[in-house]
Structure formats: structure tokens, C-alpha cells
Amino acid sequence: MPMTDMLLTLVSAALINNFVLQMPLAVDPMLAAHSRSRVHALGIATTVLMAVSSMLGYLLDHYLLQPLAMTALRLFVFLPLTALLIRPVLGLLTRLRPTLPTEGLWPLLLGNAGVLGVVLLGIEDDKGLAHMAALSLGAGLGFWLVLSLFSDLRQRIADNDIPLPFRGLPVELISAGLMAVAFLGFNAMIKA
């Protein structure tokens, strides 16, 4: 796979086909992370989990499920795979960055449908391991970007006078919708 295709896949997964805003697969962790350091810990952990689980998922599918004609079992193989990888990823993150708060991230990673979605969508394309690596890395970085932007937006909203019926989750969902519209501007960035 040429380097330009990998770069376009990475940018496309991060900005244009964002897993949080364009395909709302990971909205729940975005709404749950509040503190700035927790946002970065969740972003890093999700990016690493997406990359590792998608690479292992691709290898399992390519060398085990497809030769045995068991591709109908992909979901039943990939879901436990991603769940089993959460603890080692959090352990690695704790060893490499001990200052990041990783406690309480396990349920957010387990409930993140974007992790499973990137594995299933990448295998559906079946463009090779390099494409899967670029797709998963781009999806993880896009998730981290949206998480960081939404955290900043949440801090700005907290200081404003918002009508009582819109406080809390309603204004956060409206803000997420406006961010999705803003990310639509990246669609014109890459022409086919």
C-alpha cells in the first residue's frame, strides 16, 4: 500500500469519517469523560486499544476465520478479543505514563463501540494490514481529538448562562451535533 494511501486513510478516519461524529459509535465515552487528564488518558488508551485489537483482529480473520469459512463468527471473536486487551493496554499505559489517571477507564473502554466498529469496518474493506493499521490509528486519533475538543467546549459552556431545561446533557448533545456539522467541512478536503 503506497504511503499516500495510508496517509489519506489516516486523515480520513480522523477528520472526515470520524467514528464519534460522523458514525456515532463512541459518543458515550465522550459524554462521560470530564477532567482534562482523564480525557487524555481515555484518548491514549482508546487509540492504543483500537490499533492493537484491529491488527490482531485482522490477523485472526485472515489466517483463522477465513480459511475455516467461519467469517460469520467475527463478532463473537472480536468482542472478547477487545475485552481481553483492555487490561494489558491500561497496564501498559500505567507503566509508561504513571501520572495519567487510568482508574475507572475500564468500563468506558469496554462500552466503546468505536473499538469494535473499527475492527469490523476495517475487515469489511479487506485492503490489507497496512490499511487496517492506518484506519485504526486514524480512528483513535480522531476519537482523541473530538474528546479533547469536547472537553474544552464543555468548560466554555460551564461558564455561560444556559436556560434551565438545556443544562447538562441537552446542551452537551446539541454541542456534539454542532461539532459534527463543523467536521462536515472537512469533507471537501479530499476529492476522489
Side-chain angles (χ1 to χ4, degrees):
M1 176 176 217
M3 186 60 99
T4 56
D5 287 347
M6 285 181 57
L7 185 62
L8 287 175
T9 300
L10 190 133
V11 169
S12 174
L15 299 176
I16 299 168
N17 299 321
N18 191 286
F19 278 70
V20 179
L21 299 175
Q22 302 303 323
M23 299 179 255
L25 290 176
V27 174
D28 48 340
M30 180 183 76
L31 296 174
H34 289 287
S35 71
R36 194 78 173 132
S37 59
R38 188 175 168 100
V39 163
H40 291 305
L42 181 60
I44 293 168
T46 303
T47 302
V48 172
L49 183 64
M50 279 185 177
V52 172
S53 64
S54 64
M55 303 292 267
L56 288 176
Y58 178 84
L59 293 173
L60 277 172
D61 184 65
H62 194 70
Y63 292 111
L64 182 69
L65 297 178
Q66 286 181 7
L68 296 175
M70 298 174 68
T71 56
L73 298 176
R74 284 177 175 159
L75 183 63
F76 297 109
V77 172
F78 299 150
L79 188 60
L81 174 71
T82 57
L84 289 173
L85 288 173
I86 292 173
R87 187 165 306 279
V89 164
L90 289 177
L92 177 72
L93 184 61
T94 302
R95 267 179 283 174
L96 293 177
R97 300 287 300 208
T99 58
L100 287 178
T102 58
E103 63 278 345
L105 292 184
W106 194 85
L108 294 175
L109 290 172
L110 184 63
N112 192 341
V115 175
L116 185 61
V118 74
V119 177
L120 292 172
L121 289 172
I123 285 177
E124 192 75 23
D125 290 344
D126 197 23
K127 294 182 180 176
L129 191 60
H131 178 266
M132 179 65 92
L135 179 70
S136 61
L137 187 61
L141 292 174
F143 174 78
W144 191 4
L145 173 69
V146 169
L147 206 61
S148 298
L149 291 174
F150 195 75
S151 174
D152 291 341
L153 187 62
R154 183 181 277 151
Q155 288 175 356
R156 289 176 185 248
I157 289 172
D159 297 336
N160 290 332
D161 185 26
I162 297 171
L164 186 62
F166 290 108
R167 289 186 187 158
L169 186 62
V171 75
E172 288 180 1
L173 290 174
I174 292 169
S175 300
L178 291 173
M179 278 181 64
V181 171
F183 267 64
L184 283 176
F186 290 118
N187 281 341
M189 216 169 90
I190 298 175
K191 299 280 185 195

